[in-house]
Amino acid sequence: MTTQEFIAAALLEDVGSGDYSTLASIPAGAKGKAVLKIKENGILAGMQVTQDIFHHLEGDAKFTLYKKDGDPVSNGETAFTVEASVHTILKAERLVLNCMQRMSGIATLTNRYVDKIKDYKTRILDTRKTTPLFREFEKQAVRIGGGYNLRMGLYDMIMLKDNHIDFCGGIELAIQKTNEYLAANNLDLKIEVETRNLDDVRRVLETGNVYRIMLDNYSPELLEEAIEMIGGRYETEASGGITLDNIISYARTGVDYVSCGAITNQAVSMDLSLKAQLA
């Protein structure tokens, strides 16, 4: 789904047959100005999609930008002002706020994780635990907050998780069949394999032909042992039960990545408001 397709669908959902509150009370030709006010501290995200939303409705909507994506912001600051038809401003208001509040909340939480382990080589990855049809923007917010995207969907990377392995009949067979499929279909995709214990790690190492090993629900102590076994032959990723409270103990192991579903599915939207600015 492109940005324009998303905006059109989201506006159709909200506006439907008409914004009757605005149609009933505001003359069609009225021009206005609104200001985006920041009401709590955090990392700002969503400035580009906001401009896209307004310009979708009114191509010559005029912005004055005071902040950009990724800026640390504080309560009381202004992100931008927009000048456009009042009808445009009121139609766009809720969609703009929904996008910016959600994205800023994700960027802010991601940045907290990133900052927590800034003294280690480990990097923060997101997951597919995202809002349906809003994934592109949520993953953009992760990048704005300093994190990295693991994959966009099921199509751009191979992830052999526990259910794939169990349904297929084991780690070795899953890796073998996947490599055969990629070769037969001329697909150049990286393969990551989930492991649940050190025996799984050993089996992956004996089989080879993968790019990254996921170490799922390992304690920091067991993770350190697994990373020593892998010995740098493959990238490593820790996942499962990793929080702000314990992430440093995982980063200390030297794992390459930590994936955290929490940065998208537990982020709290930032408090923002779009207010009419009268002369």
Side-chain angles (χ1 to χ4, degrees):
M1 177 179 284
T2 67
T3 297
Q4 292 303 315
E5 288 171 337
F6 164 76
I7 293 170
L11 287 171
L12 179 62
E13 175 187 58
D14 199 31
V15 177
S17 59
D19 173 11
Y20 295 121
S21 305
T22 300
L23 290 167
S25 62
I26 308 294
K31 298 292 183 181
K33 185 175 183 179
V35 58
L36 195 289
K37 300 297 292 185
I38 295 155
K39 301 175 74 175
E40 65 177 298
N41 300 349
I43 302 296
L44 192 68
M47 291 286 279
Q48 183 57 58
V49 70
T50 286
Q51 293 172 78
D52 291 340
I53 292 166
F54 275 105
H55 288 143
H56 179 90
L57 289 167
E58 186 173 327
D60 58 356
K62 181 182 176 183
F63 280 86
T64 302
L65 305 179
Y66 299 100
K67 300 290 181 182
K68 64 182 184 300
D69 283 336
D71 280 351
V73 294
S74 301
N75 180 27
E77 292 187 310
T78 295
F80 65 81
T81 60
V82 58
E83 297 176 61
S85 159
V86 174
H87 281 225
T88 292
I89 292 171
L90 294 174
K91 278 183 185 177
E93 177 183 357
R94 179 43 52 195
L95 179 56
V96 162
L97 287 173
N98 284 348
C99 291
M100 286 200 68
Q101 288 176 317
R102 176 76 178 142
M103 291 178 69
S104 296
I106 290 170
T108 298
L109 183 56
T110 300
N111 191 253
R112 290 182 65 194
Y113 275 85
V114 170
D115 186 65
K116 194 86 171 180
I117 58 171
K118 64 180 183 297
D119 295 329
Y120 301 90
K121 76 165 191 173
T122 305
R123 289 171 284 181
I124 300 294
L125 288 175
D126 59 16
T127 68
R128 286 169 49 243
K129 296 175 182 177
T130 56
T131 306
L133 304 182
F134 200 60
R135 177 176 295 172
E136 172 62 40
F137 303 103
E138 293 183 339
K139 284 182 169 283
Q140 184 184 121
V142 167
R143 298 193 301 271
I144 289 169
Y148 292 81
N149 298 147
L150 175 55
R151 54 178 176 161
M152 288 305 299
L154 297 173
Y155 55 86
D156 59 341
M157 182 178 178
I158 298 290
M159 175 80 78
L160 298 175
K161 293 181 68 67
D162 52 357
N163 283 336
H164 298 95
I165 291 165
D166 291 344
F167 278 128
C168 186
I171 285 175
E172 296 87 350
L173 190 56
I175 294 172
Q176 176 192 332
K177 288 174 68 68
T178 298
N179 276 289
E180 290 172 353
Y181 179 87
L182 293 178
N185 290 275
N186 196 29
L187 291 171
D188 183 20
L189 297 175
K190 294 175 179 176
I191 300 174
E192 178 167 2
V193 182
E194 178 181 308
T195 64
R196 291 168 274 191
N197 51 57
L198 294 179
D199 184 58
D200 282 354
V201 173
R202 177 187 57 76
R203 293 167 68 186
V204 173
L205 293 174
E206 290 175 353
T207 306
N209 293 315
V210 302
Y211 179 76
R212 183 184 299 160
I213 299 175
M214 176 187 283
L215 305 147
D216 191 46
N217 286 307
Y218 284 55
S219 67
E221 295 75 23
L222 199 60
L223 180 64
E224 191 168 10
E225 192 173 342
I227 290 169
E228 187 174 344
M229 283 179 63
I230 295 165
R233 281 174 280 179
Y234 302 104
E235 286 191 353
T236 55
E237 174 189 339
S239 67
I242 301 171
T243 67
L244 280 170
D245 292 332
N246 65 17
I247 193 168
I248 288 178
S249 63
Y250 284 89
R252 283 180 181 142
T253 67
V255 69
D256 295 311
Y257 296 97
V258 165
S259 54
C260 296
I263 60 178
T264 51
N265 70 7
Q266 293 182 21
V268 177
S269 294
M270 182 186 287
D271 193 1
L272 306 169
S273 65
L274 187 69
K275 294 297 184 184
Q277 190 171 70
L278 304 178

